[in-house]
Amino acid sequence: MPRLGNLDDLAALCDALGSKREQSTRTVTMCAGTACRACGCLPVAEAVEAEIEKQGLCGEVLFRTTGCHGFCEQGPLAIIEPGNIFYAKLKVDDVEELVSQTLKENQVVERLLYTDPVSGEKVRTEDAIPFYASQTRVLLGDNTKLSPENIDEYLSLGGYTALAKTLTSTSPGDVVSTVQASGLRGRGGGGYSTGRKWEQCRQAPGEEHYVICNADEGDPGAYMDRCLLEGNPHAVIEGMAIGAYAIGARQGFVYVRKEYPLAVRHVEGAIEQAHEYGLLGDNILGTDFSFDVKVVHGGGAFVCGESTALMASLEGKVGEPRAKDVHTVEHGYLNQPTCLNNVETWANVPKIITNGAEWFAQKGTQNSKGTKIFALTGQVKNTGLVEVEMGASLREVIFDIGGGPQNGRAIKAVQTGGPSGGCLPESEFDLAVDFDELYEAGSMMGSGGMVVMDDSACMVDVAKYFLTFLQDESCGKCLTCRIGISRMLDIVTDVCEGCGTPEQLDLLEDLAWTVSVGSLCALGKTAANPVLSTLKYFREEYEAHIEQESCPAGVCPALIHYTIDEDTCNNCGLCAQNCPYEAISGDKESGYRINGEICTRCGICVESCNKKAIVKS
Amino acid sequence: MDLARVDAILEGRGSEPFDVMEVLQDIQEEFRYLPEDAMRQTAEILQVPLIEVFRLANFYKAFSLKPRGRHLITVCTGTACHVQGARKLGDQVLGQLKVGPGETTQDGAFTVETVNCVGACALAPVVIIDGEYYDHMTPKKLRKLISRIRKVDAQEEETRTNA
């Protein structure tokens, strides 16, 4: 790769790569994100490449594997251009037909098309799929157009021209003003004005300034950042470089979870390729600006998603947060001014520079601009990554894009914002999704996790789940968080086991308040949200556990038991074979029985029974 | 324990404050846990107090102070996996292997761990075995997977003995 000496070199290269891209008439794009890989996309991709060669289409057809497209549940998936034909759930056996029919003969293979679970009809093109049609895919859209392992693909779409424009014709102060005017707010959960943060950092005196990309996405149920880093690492690097120029930094760090090996690999590869072109390193594009990025691997602690804890971890210490009255924009990494933003925030920056602050500010609501990516998961028909304009309602996301409940059940709640967020009932689904509305309703947008729960979920169990998580992840520095969460968990456990009392619910609310005011960082400050929101909207479930000693959803193990209905049972013995605890005994002649003392009420036997003879009560 | 392997990891490290974390992660990768001698060596070469090294090893989930088994089963317990039945998968493992999260089977074959989210939520519930992701897991599929690994191991063992 030749080093790009100036802006003209970059423009010429982008043009050349862009026109080469336009020349390729037929393209097969396959998603190779982590989820599709888990569904076996790699063997299919290899088969497609081999088949293209075998059928003599090399040179005519461009094949690429990309990062996540978002519709994870339908993987392995392919998009074929021209025609925007969308094939879902591909298998190696389908490849021959795909190539011979669609690529050679321009025929659509009906059986490979996606079937909309709501209408039951086949959908021919990607654009027409309801899951995609209702989205505004500003960031995710690029994921489907480029191979994250090849910088040329990013350049062919005009990549790094935002950086070039910034370096050659904009002053650092103007960059900050543009970002401020766009109204961009931090996508990591806090929602602080990105422009204001940059300005504060720029003004702070220090020997060195640093920028950090927070890719320690630890929220359970959220994976937007993983997919951006995996699918379009250069957008993040370019955003960081623009930010570094604006605040006067020469060094940046990407702090990424070790649980995301593919993201690590792609971002490391991207940094290397950017170096080769001279888009990172000394005197970028022949200017005075020098900037480098290092990837640092997180040690797997949820609390390190908090900025001060993350910086402590970068300094080789345990990831304990500190009081935030000393701002990290002034005293951050190594006590120097440090600007930390999350992956999605950085990825938005090149778009804002390219299209202008106004373009960005047109989208969204009054105080929450642009689009936001959500991880729509749980008990909903279409699961995956969803990008919508700020201000879309929860109902639009869950029903229009998500397709509503699975298996004809009723949707009961949606959990937004991870362990810091809360559970909102169906009656609140008309709320607009933005930073402020969700907060007022007792939840928060957080980084963008959206876990849908149907009537098979017990909300007390959900509260217990989050408290267990938070107890495990609390770093232990603040007493209120360390002890308070444990005590809240004790109470909720009592409720789940049917031995709670009504007074305990008041105590729970008291404790929630204490934990939130007495803890330093957001983990403790928001730890009570899952409890408070479930108490607010689903109090009757708590009361049923306490007063009737029953779990309405039939989830809490202590309040249910299983029996085998002798009339329905055909003595096949599958339940006994499948019970991991060997709690079912008997034989084909005398029938089978569940030993209540050994049984842990895991419910595995219910799933294994073909006759539905195991009854939960 | 082969200290030369630790020295190779430590080579050229120490200029950045986060090197100690990166070194420990590499040691974890190399040995599948953090042997005491390796931590001592790290403390000495990087001139970090041993207690600090031990503190890091204790604090971060990436590190294990006990040797891990030959196979690592990681059950994701993220919210999406939880509502889609991850608890049953934990039950399946506990019942079948008689070990819970953080424990290793007596024969050293399996270590079981849980993780708070691997970011494959659309495929929930997810289990990762030796780095391979398995989507939409059920207790039955998991039981068969574990049995298959056991069988393959037994066959390999037999080939080795015969050879």
Side-chain angles (χ1 to χ4, degrees):
Chain A
M1 285 180 197
R3 211 185 134 80
L4 304 169
N6 53 46
L7 182 65
D8 295 337
D9 285 358
L10 175 70
L13 180 65
C14 286
D15 279 350
L17 292 168
S19 46
K20 196 174 143 201
R21 183 187 187 92
E22 276 162 24
Q23 276 161 20
S24 49
T25 45
R26 271 176 292 173
T27 321
V28 182
T29 305
M30 277 196 73
C31 175
T34 296
C36 275
R37 281 171 194 237
C39 300
C41 77
L42 291 183
V44 180
E46 275 169 33
V48 173
E49 249 188 316
E51 194 65 29
I52 289 173
E53 195 178 335
K54 192 175 149 199
Q55 300 204 22
L57 293 171
C58 276
E60 284 176 54
V61 177
L62 179 72
F63 177 78
R64 73 161 71 86
T65 52
T66 68
C68 183
H69 291 199
F71 209 179
C72 307
E73 198 202 39
Q74 292 297 319
L77 50 89
I79 301 165
I80 295 159
E81 297 288 0
N84 197 232
I85 299 160
F86 181 89
Y87 289 148
K89 297 195 172 171
L90 288 170
K91 294 185 187 66
V92 174
D93 292 344
D94 303 326
V95 170
E96 197 272 332
E97 205 176 346
L98 181 152
V99 175
S100 64
Q101 289 300 306
T102 311
L103 292 178
K104 266 197 153 166
E105 309 290 337
N106 285 326
Q107 297 293 316
V108 173
V109 184
E110 282 285 319
R111 66 177 182 88
L112 300 180
L113 292 173
Y114 163 76
T115 311
D116 178 21
V118 180
S119 66
E121 280 169 23
K122 294 271 181 196
V123 186
R124 194 185 152 110
T125 64
E126 185 204 18
D127 300 342
I129 294 172
F131 177 79
Y132 288 119
S134 312
Q135 298 188 38
T136 309
R137 293 160 62 86
V138 175
L139 295 177
L140 280 179
D142 285 351
N143 266 25
T144 63
K145 293 180 199 146
L146 56 91
S147 158
E149 289 172 288
N150 183 357
I151 188 171
D152 285 352
E153 297 236 307
Y154 184 64
L155 292 173
S156 75
L157 296 169
Y160 287 101
T161 39
L163 175 64
K165 184 176 150 190
T166 304
L167 296 184
T168 50
S169 58
T170 322
S171 73
D174 287 345
V175 178
V176 174
S177 306
T178 306
V179 174
Q180 219 156 1
S182 74
L184 176 66
R185 293 170 69 176
R187 266 40 178 167
Y192 191 75
S193 157
T194 306
R196 196 183 305 159
K197 191 187 250 184
W198 287 20
E199 180 59 20
Q200 286 164 344
C201 191
R202 195 172 84 88
Q203 299 289 351
E207 286 163 36
E208 285 283 345
H209 285 60
Y210 295 101
V211 291
I212 296 175
C213 171
N214 182 353
D216 194 49
E217 185 177 48
D219 270 17
Y223 62 106
M224 303 73 49
D225 295 345
R226 196 203 71 195
C227 287
L228 282 176
L229 215 50
E230 261 177 34
N232 196 0
H234 287 289
V236 179
I237 295 168
E238 189 182 0
M240 288 177 76
I242 294 167
Y245 171 78
I247 66 156
R250 292 186 301 175
Q251 180 66 56
F253 299 101
V254 178
Y255 185 93
V256 57
R257 285 182 85 194
K258 75 165 194 86
E259 284 91 347
Y260 289 178
L262 194 64
V264 172
R265 210 170 79 207
H266 285 180
V267 74
E268 283 176 340
I271 290 170
E272 205 173 297
Q273 291 183 351
H275 261 283
E276 286 174 27
Y277 272 134
L279 294 164
L280 282 179
D282 292 335
N283 302 102
I284 293 171
L285 292 170
T287 64
D288 292 339
F289 177 63
S290 301
F291 177 62
D292 205 352
V293 179
K294 269 201 182 112
V295 176
V296 179
H297 310 93
F302 175 68
V303 71
C304 285
E306 201 277 342
S307 59
T308 58
L310 187 150
M311 288 175 205
S313 177
L314 261 187
E315 289 170 3
K317 301 174 189 153
V318 296
E320 286 179 352
R322 61 163 166 81
K324 269 192 161 175
D325 44 348
V326 181
H327 300 297
T328 53
V329 285
E330 287 154 5
H331 300 280
Y333 178 58
L334 302 179
N335 210 23
Q336 299 298 316
T338 306
C339 180
L340 175 140
N341 287 123
N342 107 315
V343 175
E344 196 180 338
T345 315
W346 288 121
N348 267 302
V349 172
K351 295 275 179 201
I352 292 172
I353 300 296
T354 304
N355 301 308
E358 268 176 38
W359 164 85
F360 189 82
Q362 275 166 8
K363 295 185 176 62
T365 59
Q366 193 179 0
N367 293 318
S368 303
K369 301 296 186 191
T371 59
K372 176 78 192 85
I373 307 177
F374 293 96
L376 181 65
T377 60
Q379 289 151 333
V380 65
K381 280 201 188 82
N382 305 323
T383 56
L385 286 190
V386 168
E387 185 177 354
V388 289
E389 269 192 45
M390 291 271 192
S393 71
L394 284 168
R395 196 176 301 281
E396 282 171 66
V397 175
I398 296 164
F399 286 88
D400 297 352
I401 298 173
Q406 296 169 325
N407 312 322
R409 303 193 78 110
I411 288 181
K412 183 197 267 185
V414 61
Q415 207 283 337
T416 68
S420 302
C423 295
L424 297 170
E426 212 251 334
S427 57
E428 300 286 320
F429 279 9
D430 292 316
L431 277 176
V433 180
D434 74 3
F435 287 106
D436 311 310
E437 282 226 13
L438 289 184
Y439 184 77
E440 274 163 34
S443 183
M444 63 188 277
M445 197 167 75
S447 58
M450 220 180 245
V451 186
V452 180
M453 299 170 204
D454 65 24
D455 51 11
S456 68
C458 165
M459 301 317 283
V460 188
D461 174 71
V462 170
K464 183 182 162 198
Y465 165 80
F466 280 111
L467 288 172
T468 310
F469 171 89
L470 289 163
Q471 177 193 243
D472 190 37
E473 292 292 351
S474 167
C475 76
K477 184 171 177 169
C478 307
L479 175 118
T480 46
C481 176
R482 183 176 73 240
I483 309 289
I485 293 175
S486 284
R487 292 292 84 84
M488 284 201 285
L489 178 59
D490 285 347
I491 294 176
V492 174
T493 305
D494 276 353
V495 176
C496 284
E497 289 175 356
C499 41
T501 61
E503 297 75 42
Q504 277 183 314
L505 294 187
D506 299 332
L507 183 59
L508 197 56
E509 279 168 330
D510 273 358
L511 263 171
W513 181 81
T514 310
V515 172
S516 94
V517 295
S519 307
L520 269 180
C521 81
L523 188 149
K525 280 192 183 307
T526 57
N529 280 355
V531 172
L532 290 178
S533 64
T534 45
L535 263 176
K536 178 174 173 188
Y537 294 113
F538 302 96
R539 199 177 182 97
E540 70 284 359
E541 290 199 31
Y542 282 84
E543 286 164 356
H545 283 74
I546 293 170
E547 286 157 21
Q548 290 122 43
E549 290 180 28
S550 88
C551 173
V555 172
C556 295
L559 300 181
I560 51 174
H561 65 272
Y562 291 104
T563 42
I564 298 173
D565 177 29
E566 283 174 26
D567 297 335
T568 331
C569 176
N570 65 351
N571 294 354
C572 71
L574 266 180
C575 56
Q577 260 177 43
N578 280 291
C579 174
Y581 296 103
E582 293 166 18
I584 304 178
S585 56
D587 51 52
K588 290 193 191 314
E589 278 74 45
S590 61
Y592 291 86
R593 251 155 222 79
I594 298 174
N595 182 339
E597 275 170 30
I598 307 174
C599 175
T600 65
R601 285 95 173 159
C602 68
I604 291 175
C605 54
V606 181
E607 278 177 19
S608 67
C609 179
N610 299 325
K611 289 278 161 197
K612 296 195 166 57
I614 298 170
V615 192
K616 178 158 76 176
S617 52
Chain B
M1 201 207 73
D2 186 1
L3 272 181
R5 280 153 72 196
V6 180
D7 288 336
I9 290 169
L10 281 161
E11 181 85 43
R13 301 288 186 91
S15 59
E16 299 279 5
F18 45 82
D19 276 352
V20 57
M21 278 289 289
E22 302 268 301
V23 163
L24 291 179
Q25 298 204 33
D26 289 350
I27 294 172
Q28 170 77 41
E29 183 97 10
E30 176 79 20
F31 296 91
R32 298 166 66 79
Y33 79 109
L34 296 181
E36 187 184 322
D37 287 348
M39 284 195 280
R40 288 186 184 279
Q41 189 81 342
T42 305
E44 199 181 312
I45 304 286
L46 297 184
Q47 300 196 332
V48 177
L50 181 59
I51 186 126
E52 278 302 317
V53 174
F54 188 69
R55 216 173 149 217
L56 293 173
N58 250 306
F59 185 84
Y60 291 101
K61 289 212 162 59
F63 305 127
S64 163
L65 293 168
K66 287 183 284 183
R68 277 176 175 157
R70 291 189 298 281
H71 302 285
L72 179 62
I73 301 181
T74 311
V75 180
C76 180
T77 55
T79 322
C81 288
H82 178 77
V83 300
Q84 298 282 52
R87 186 154 47 197
K88 284 190 189 128
L89 302 175
D91 275 307
Q92 178 61 43
V93 175
L94 178 61
Q96 195 173 355
L97 296 175
K98 313 281 180 257
V99 288
E103 296 172 348
T104 302
T105 52
Q106 268 191 341
D107 60 359
F110 293 94
T111 294
V112 180
E113 285 182 352
T114 56
V115 60
N116 283 329
C117 186
V118 292
C121 317
L123 308 177
V126 176
V127 173
I128 305 164
I129 303 183
D130 296 333
E132 192 95 17
Y133 288 61
Y134 295 92
D135 62 300
H136 299 106
M137 275 309 263
T138 61
K140 194 172 164 188
K141 281 202 245 177
L142 187 55
R143 176 170 58 97
K144 286 185 177 163
L145 258 173
I146 294 172
S147 307
R148 199 169 72 210
I149 294 170
R150 278 218 160 122
K151 213 161 139 189
V152 173
D153 273 8
Q155 280 166 353
E156 277 172 9
E157 180 66 34
E158 204 182 302
T159 334
R160 253 198 308 275
T161 338
N162 289 344

